[in-house]
Amino acid sequence: MIGDRTNIRRAFISLAGIAVLFAAVAARAQQSAPAQTNSLSAVFPMTSKSPEARRLVEEALILYLDRVEQEQAIEILRKAVQVDPDFAMGHEYLAQISLDSAEQVGEQEKAFATRSHATSSEQLVIEWYQDAADHKLISAITKMNDVLNQYPHDKWVVWMTTWWLQNQSQYERVISIYERSGITDSPGLINNIGYNYAYVRQFDKAFAMMDKYVELLPNDSNPQDSYAEILRLAGRFNQSIEHYRTSLVINPEFYSSQFGIADTYSLMGDQVRARKEYEIGFQKFTLPELQQILWKTREAATFVREGDYDGAQHAFQAIADYAHSRHNSQAEADTYRQMALCEQNLKQALAYLGKAEAATQDGKNALRIALSQELAQIVRARVEVALKMGNKDLANSNLERLATMSESANDRLIEQAYHGAAGAVLFSEHKYDQAISHLEEDTTNPLSLKLLATAYQKIGYSAGAKRTNETLTNLNDPTLEQALVVPAFRKCGDAPSSCVTNTKSAGLKR
């Protein structure tokens, strides 16, 4: 398990993508970093007036990273900051790994408020995360790189930087940092790097990391769970289920594997069996709030995969109501956005998007960056609904709004939303060359990949069409967008143009 630890969350840089921004800021950081900080022995500090609190944090980090005992780690971190309320990095670690959205926000505030009790290096980490939360991405990247240059071989710094970069989809950079760190004895980092190899479809390297991970922790569930998820990403569904079941034999309480089985059956096309496996999990386990929302959302997507949109809307509405009752504005907004993507009555889809935006404005128990990224996805969805309606004015006005957000945000996920929307608009106008330049910047979204495959074919670039067709056909991520696009696209075989027969189908599925 790794992907399911994250929150449920999604920059237009003129003449350069966000990857170039990361590289440029990294280069400046390397030029300014003191030479002595690159020592192999440099260890990131954890400053506390209480030796007991420090011991507890160290114990919690090992449990979280190397043993994937997240809930136990969270409880220990809570004890640590009770013992020493001024333990700034204790608050920061808790903010980063908590499964409660209100706690994430509150602990980040406490970390920032108590940072004067910490060393300059710890303050740099806290300010990096605070800048990220405040959507000051350039400043956050600079501080992240400063910390990494000071402690390039420290386990916790390598974990913090690679995990943050992974959430920014900077998989190649993650791989580079890990390989340069020289750390080979951390099961948790081996697990993480295995996922990053898988995300760039270097599955041989990913499987090698999983073999090593299992060897290091043969009696733990998570290596089997991670192996299963990577096998699923590679399309090896039956092997994936075998590893998930092995995980549950080792630890019957390892709920991620139960829901992993359900996710896999859904991707295989057996939605009845998938829902049965989800319900087994919901009945057996009491889940943290964010995990409850995550797997309820995936269960709702099973109805989409079998074309039961009424069933999907009923399931999604229950999730939205739950998120609202938990005062989780970002999750509520994202659920209404997904309802809009599924809705066949386009006026109702716009109404759902209105509810989604209202939830982002409510802004309860969510970081500013998460709300900004969510709003970008909502505006993108408005563009797609407008295209489905044939309303070019509405599509263009929302695209302009998204462009403004993107230009000011310096955020990769907002940038991708802009490019996906711009590509869809240009595609609808038959401007395929221009559409391609945008769609190529949003290749993690099935909606954009679908249009990209067809656009390549329209301009006669058969190799690009074939490559993109294969990427989309082999996309095995249990998201709503995958459910809307991939199952039907797989039926198109080598003729992706048959999946998009007119410009009005460039947005939502009917």
Side-chain angles (χ1 to χ4, degrees):
M1 178 174 70
I2 183 173
D4 296 335
R5 293 188 201 163
T6 60
N7 294 344
I8 305 174
R9 9 184 171 237
R10 278 309 174 223
F12 178 65
I13 309 297
S14 298
L15 305 179
I18 192 75
V20 177
L21 171 65
F22 271 96
V25 177
R28 291 199 298 271
Q30 289 169 353
Q31 290 169 3
S32 62
Q36 68 269 22
T37 60
N38 285 320
S39 167
L40 287 170
S41 61
V43 176
F44 183 72
M46 281 193 284
T47 304
S48 171
K49 62 188 178 185
S50 167
E52 174 65 8
R54 179 189 171 97
R55 184 194 66 77
L56 287 170
V57 168
E58 291 173 343
E59 178 185 349
L61 292 178
I62 291 170
L63 282 170
Y64 173 71
L65 179 60
D66 287 336
R67 314 298 296 202
V68 197
E69 296 288 350
Q70 188 168 5
E71 293 179 68
Q72 186 178 351
I74 290 167
E75 289 301 321
I76 293 173
L77 285 173
R78 288 171 180 160
K79 292 179 182 178
V81 294
Q82 286 177 354
V83 172
D84 181 4
D86 293 328
F87 194 171
M89 278 305 299
H91 290 296
E92 187 61 64
Y93 287 130
L94 182 53
Q96 295 309 313
I97 76 169
S98 174
L99 292 169
D100 181 284
S101 58
E103 184 173 53
Q104 291 170 354
V105 174
E107 289 301 313
Q108 181 60 45
E109 292 173 351
K110 290 176 183 177
F112 193 72
T114 59
R115 69 191 187 284
S116 62
H117 297 277
T119 64
S120 59
S121 296
E122 293 168 284
Q123 290 180 32
L124 199 58
V125 169
I126 293 165
E127 290 168 5
W128 148 29
Y129 280 118
Q130 187 64 48
D131 283 345
D134 291 338
H135 225 163
K136 300 175 182 176
L137 265 291
I138 292 177
S139 178
I141 295 165
T142 300
K143 289 169 182 172
M144 178 203 72
N145 280 306
D146 286 345
V147 174
L148 181 62
N149 280 316
Q150 291 178 45
Y151 306 98
H153 308 288
D154 182 88
K155 175 179 176 179
W156 305 119
V157 170
V158 171
W159 159 59
M160 286 187 287
T161 53
T162 55
W163 185 245
W164 193 73
L165 287 166
Q166 181 175 316
N167 287 330
Q168 292 287 325
S169 302
Q170 294 294 312
Y171 308 128
E172 297 285 359
R173 179 92 196 278
V174 169
I175 291 168
S176 176
I177 290 171
Y178 173 77
E179 290 179 346
R180 291 179 182 178
S181 74
I183 300 172
T184 60
D185 60 351
S186 168
L189 290 179
I190 289 169
N191 181 30
N192 288 6
I193 200 66
Y195 276 91
N196 281 272
Y197 282 131
Y199 293 150
V200 297
R201 304 198 69 80
Q202 295 182 27
F203 285 111
D204 287 346
K205 290 184 177 180
F207 295 144
M209 288 295 107
M210 290 300 101
D211 287 334
K212 187 172 183 179
Y213 188 28
V214 170
E215 181 181 352
L216 286 170
L217 299 174
N219 299 317
D220 279 24
S221 286
N222 196 66
Q224 297 292 338
D225 183 273
S226 293
Y227 215 145
E229 190 170 3
I230 288 175
L231 285 163
R232 189 178 71 204
L233 288 170
R236 301 184 185 182
F237 298 129
N238 290 327
Q239 289 177 273
S240 173
I241 289 175
E242 289 176 8
H243 281 268
Y244 279 130
R245 295 204 182 283
T246 300
S247 169
L248 287 169
V249 168
I250 294 171
N251 179 4
E253 300 302 313
F254 202 81
Y255 58 76
S256 172
S257 293
Q258 175 60 45
F259 290 105
I261 291 170
D263 290 342
T264 306
Y265 276 118
S266 183
L267 289 167
M268 292 170 72
D270 190 344
Q271 309 310 323
V272 173
R273 179 64 182 272
R275 285 194 289 273
K276 178 181 177 181
E277 297 292 345
Y278 284 120
E279 289 308 313
I280 290 172
F282 291 130
Q283 292 173 17
K284 182 176 179 180
F285 304 109
T286 300
L287 299 174
E289 173 186 313
L290 294 178
Q291 305 288 21
Q292 177 83 2
I293 292 170
L294 171 66
W295 280 303
K296 281 291 184 181
T297 298
R298 291 183 178 178
E299 183 183 37
T302 64
F303 294 102
V304 175
R305 287 193 172 91
E306 60 188 8
D308 180 2
Y309 293 98
D310 289 339
Q313 298 296 40
H314 179 77
F316 277 122
Q317 186 63 62
I319 299 167
D321 292 342
Y322 173 77
H324 183 79
S325 72
R326 302 294 296 176
H327 306 291
N328 189 327
S329 294
Q330 192 268 329
E332 181 183 358
D334 192 58
T335 303
Y336 278 120
R337 180 190 66 84
Q338 292 183 82
M339 291 176 74
L341 290 177
C342 297
E343 180 56 56
Q344 297 170 73
N345 180 319
L346 299 177
K347 289 184 179 180
Q348 182 60 48
L350 289 177
Y352 285 139
L353 291 172
K355 290 185 176 182
E357 183 162 354
T360 66
Q361 293 172 350
D362 198 21
K364 293 178 181 176
N365 296 328
L367 298 173
R368 179 183 170 191
I369 187 172
L371 294 170
S372 297
Q373 291 168 346
E374 187 60 51
L375 181 59
Q377 295 301 313
I378 294 165
V379 178
R380 174 186 178 160
R382 280 207 180 97
V383 172
E384 292 167 340
V385 173
L387 290 175
K388 188 73 173 177
M389 298 173 75
N391 189 332
K392 290 187 177 181
D393 289 341
L394 182 61
N396 287 327
S397 64
N398 279 283
L399 181 60
E400 289 176 7
R401 181 184 179 193
L402 192 51
T404 299
M405 292 173 64
S406 180
E407 288 167 356
S408 62
N410 294 324
D411 184 298
R412 179 177 176 83
L413 299 180
I414 294 176
E415 178 189 7
Q416 288 176 321
Y418 164 74
H419 282 301
V425 169
L426 290 163
F427 184 96
S428 74
E429 297 170 349
H430 308 287
K431 298 176 181 177
Y432 300 117
D433 283 318
Q434 295 177 55
I436 286 168
S437 68
H438 288 282
L439 294 169
E440 287 179 335
E441 299 297 324
D442 187 38
T443 54
T444 60
N445 190 309
L447 295 170
S448 290
L449 282 171
K450 177 182 176 181
L451 297 184
L452 183 60
T454 305
Y456 279 145
Q457 191 170 64
K458 292 288 187 181
I459 67 169
Y461 183 27
S462 58
K466 185 176 185 295
R467 182 182 66 249
T468 308
N469 188 13
E470 290 173 350
T471 298
L472 189 54
T473 300
N474 294 304
L475 195 63
N476 296 306
D477 194 13
T479 64
L480 176 67
E481 287 80 2
Q482 195 272 359
L484 285 168
V485 174
V486 175
F489 193 85
R490 285 172 175 160
K491 298 177 182 178
C492 300
D494 294 324
S497 61
S498 65
C499 295
V500 185
T501 57
N502 58 66
T503 57
K504 288 187 179 182
S505 66
L508 301 179
K509 184 178 177 71
R510 284 192 182 277

